Amino acid sequence: MGLSRRTFIKTGLAGAALGACGALPPVSKWLRQTDAAADPQEKVAYTYHPPNCGGRCSFKCTVKDGKLVKIEPNEWPDKRHSLICLRGLSELERVYSPDRIKTPLKRVGERGEGKFVPISWDEALTTVANKLKELKDKHGGKSIYLKASSGVEHPMFSLATMLGAQFTNHAGIDIGLSGGLHQVTGAGLFGPMNNEVTDWVNAKTILLLGNNFLETSMTDAQFFYDAKEAGAKIIAIDPAYSTTVTRCDQWISLRPGTDTALIMALINQVFANKWYHEDYLRKNSTAPFLIRADDKKLFKAGDKYQVWDKNSGSFQPYDAPGIHAELDGDFSADGVKLQTVFAALREHAKDCTPAWAAKITEVSEQVIKDLAKQYATAGPAVLAWGWGGPDKWYHADSLGRAGGILAALTGNIGRVGGGVGAANHHLPGYFAPFKGWPLPKEFRPAKPEMPATDFPQKPNSVRAVIIQGNTLNQWLANANQTAAWLKKLDLVVVVDIFHNDTVKYADLVLPTCTNFEMEYDYYNLQIRRNHIMTMQKVIDPLFESKTDFQIEKELAAKLGLAQYLPKTPGDLISARLKDPAPPLKGITLETLKANRCIQRLNAPMEPYRGNMNQVYNTPTKKIQLYSEVLLPFGAGFPAYEEPQEASPQNPLFKKYPLQFSQAHTRYRAHSSFSNARWILQIIKEPKVEMNPKDAQKRGLKNGDLVEVFNDRGKFQARYQATPEMRPGSIRVSEGWWSKYFAAGNLQNVTNSANNPRGYPLSHGPVIPFNDTLVEVKKAGGG
Amino acid sequence: MAKLGMTIDLKRCMGCHTCELGCKMQNNVPMGMLWNRILTDGGEDVDTARGEFPNLHKSWLPLACLHCENAPCVKVCPVGATFRDKDGRVLIDYARCIGCRYCMASCPYNVRVFNWQKPVREPGHSYGDAAPRPKGVMEKCTLCVERTSKGQEPRCVEVCPAKARKFGDLDDPNSEVSKAVRERGGEQLLAEKGTKPQIYYLR
Ligand code: SF4
Ligand code: SF4
Ligand code: SF4
Ligand code: SF4
């Protein structure tokens, strides 16, 4: 094997230098005293891991003398899923992190300054409750806003309901394509693939669109390799040479933000070569529906969409039995010209030729043609995206729609080995929605006034925010704008485990437990990979921390509302399991306890494939190729638009010629694990990843301290020579807390513009984090 | 009696470092030390590719002690602290180790790590199954002796999400590892040194 001894020595030395990783914190007075030698107690507990990586791995945890000493994959009833990744393993250290917030804290300096003093739980909760009561009385419940972040197991939804407060539990991250796909197939939040990843082994072609599967979905990697070994051709469309690209059969690098042009060209080729599936489209989609020439709306008689029935030679309701809907052609009714959606789409895509797309995407015409042929004719084909990349662009909804349409034209939805959507979510499959805790009818949450991403930008009623997790920094772009908003509020409460960036802005900080600690025996439920899991207590709460459940309950008690809440999380679990959904039949907390906290749902063992009955979660129950919802925005069909900011056509480009993206990596799940010391041994600080050619132009050497800046703000970190990056774009992996940057924070520069078209979409506007232009220069003193 | 070994499929390995941290957890490895590291051949920084855009190549090489059949580290150890056990694992008797580091110099793969200072563990208590090691001794991959003596797989094999690693008896021609070495042409690292590693890489 061709590795030189020098390589080993070099890495060996680098390894040795890690010795400076930081010393052990002083033994805290809060850690329980145990005498290991005198009473070695060992027990095993089962739980699952809830950061928002998309998965929920089930763990077997060993506790010795009250301390967590081992985390192993639990035995799943389906062997293939007994998995863990480096993040799950690193919890062993993270639970005991010196970054833990140990007691409730009260702000003493200016808001945002980060100066606090410890206070008692009673003082903290009394202060919060009194303030909330006052705000509700004076300004109504809607003046309070609650938001739970990534990985929070017990969002305080009941408290929000009882306060009549605004509550959202999702927002603009990684939803851009999903909002668009929802218009086409009715896909849910995050637009999960309708076929499970375990079905990829039946695919012949797999197109990964800006999807770094092998980093974001490590615990599904085996299914990627199984598909590859079974002969699927896996093609990565990604500006940069990602980890996943290294293991694909083909890599197509395109100009960032132009994916829609590429997909439109594929649609163009499908029409040009008649690769579409006529019968499939006639039966399962709105392709035969008719667009009116006058107002561009779909033609209706009464409230029924009409199609032209070839059998009777007349207009008929689209769902009338025994009809043969005409797919193509021009018609007229009452003097109004009508054209089928199919024909209109063909016309719409007529100019989206490979030559046209080649200019925009910088991918060669031939590559586009070959790609179209491969996808459309060597099926079944998967079109998979998700978790970042093209999702985080201003016009991302169009890409989600175009992708859905391409899959529909080629009959790849509701087909073994096919599918379209986000590949990284382990949710799809046999599923049961859990109900919340029933509260008396008089309690109702306020309707959210606007998507959460607008709060810092538009006038609104919010005067107090209660945040669970590192939400404010992780999920709002343009951090200086966020900070200005926070400074105007009456009250900021942060419930979290660690001293992260959101905590800095709090008036009151309430220390919560990690998911391994709790006051109760069982805490929550999740369904992933067709299994249901419950979370068992592993260790007692460390320091003075309390679970979110407990905090909600104690806050409610101060407000005189505790009697409406479940007494224990176990009560909540049992109530949820009473759901009549067939997959849950026979599953109770007792059976879960008896089965190491994990059970297979009542579901067949074969991979779940959605829409096999060709019924869709859309108003027509069909695949909707045309969107009336987006018609007011002139977007009945998706079209390629230049990126809102990161485009050479933007005058700003002269000043800030680099596209900036924040990508997910295996080392974090959003901002969780930023402080995981075990992982920091591998990668100890954020790096500005840039192609050496771009760096050279700026006189930068690998390891230089650089400043990334635009009109919104700036931050500093080290430059890492990254030949993987496409020239013209740079990257800092997402989720790093400010304290790991030499100065500032990556959100200081990011774009927070909301596309008006995003508001009517099911998940609201996406935050165009990656649609951002910056410039980089050497930082002083680097 | 067996010749325990492993195969690592470099076509599957995606450099995820799960085996690295799995090993750390299992073996109570102190901070700043790793028995199992994931190397990239493109550059000094973790995950760096080789080549120039867009002609790039990247591949990872998970590297821990290779449990050489003809181990130089065993030969040079003046006190017999490093030895090859009956199942072919190269182990260290920490009680005997005098910290002379001859073995470190003799190992062509640079996989042994030395406790220069009092080992620091984060969290501050012992974790995993292996007993803590004192300052001033050499340590390295034991093929998870605590697990493999009980018939379990090494931790790095168990946790690899890509299923890139396989473990078994190289003396048994029907074992998964023997078959993989035969069928995929398992390669030994720096074969020319004659150390005969029992960890094979598949490409
Ligand atoms: S981070 Fe995700 S993939 Fe990794 S162990 Fe946790 S749940 Fe599993
Ligand atoms: S766990 Fe497997 S895939 Fe990950 S680095 Fe180790 S060998 Fe490679
Ligand atoms: S790899 Fe190095 S430490 Fe391991 S047996 Fe071979 S020579 Fe000894
Ligand atoms: S076999 Fe065990 S000790 Fe060796 S690298 Fe793997 S996990 Fe570590």
Side-chain angles (χ1 to χ4, degrees), chain A residues 342-359:
Chain A
F342 179 83
L345 177 60
R346 182 180 50 210
E347 223 156 82
H348 175 77
K350 206 164 74 204
D351 297 332
C352 304
T353 59
W356 164 84
K359 277 208 200 79

Side-chain angles (χ1 to χ4, degrees), chain A residues 70 72 225 667 677-678, chain B residues 12 47 122 125 129 155:
Chain A
K70 208 153 65 175
E72 302 169 86
Y225 290 115
Y667 304 111
R677 253 148 286 264
W678 282 14
Chain B
R12 280 188 169 240
D47 295 329
E122 287 180 14
H125 53 266
D129 291 331
R155 185 67 74 192

Side-chain angles (χ1 to χ4, degrees), chain B residues 64-74 82 90 103 106-112 140-141 195 197:
Chain B
C65 171
L66 299 168
H67 296 272
C68 307
E69 193 172 349
N70 184 21
C73 59
V74 172
T82 294
V90 173
C103 54
S106 77
C107 170
Y109 309 102
N110 193 25
V111 292
R112 293 180 156 243
K140 66 165 193 71
C141 158
T195 50

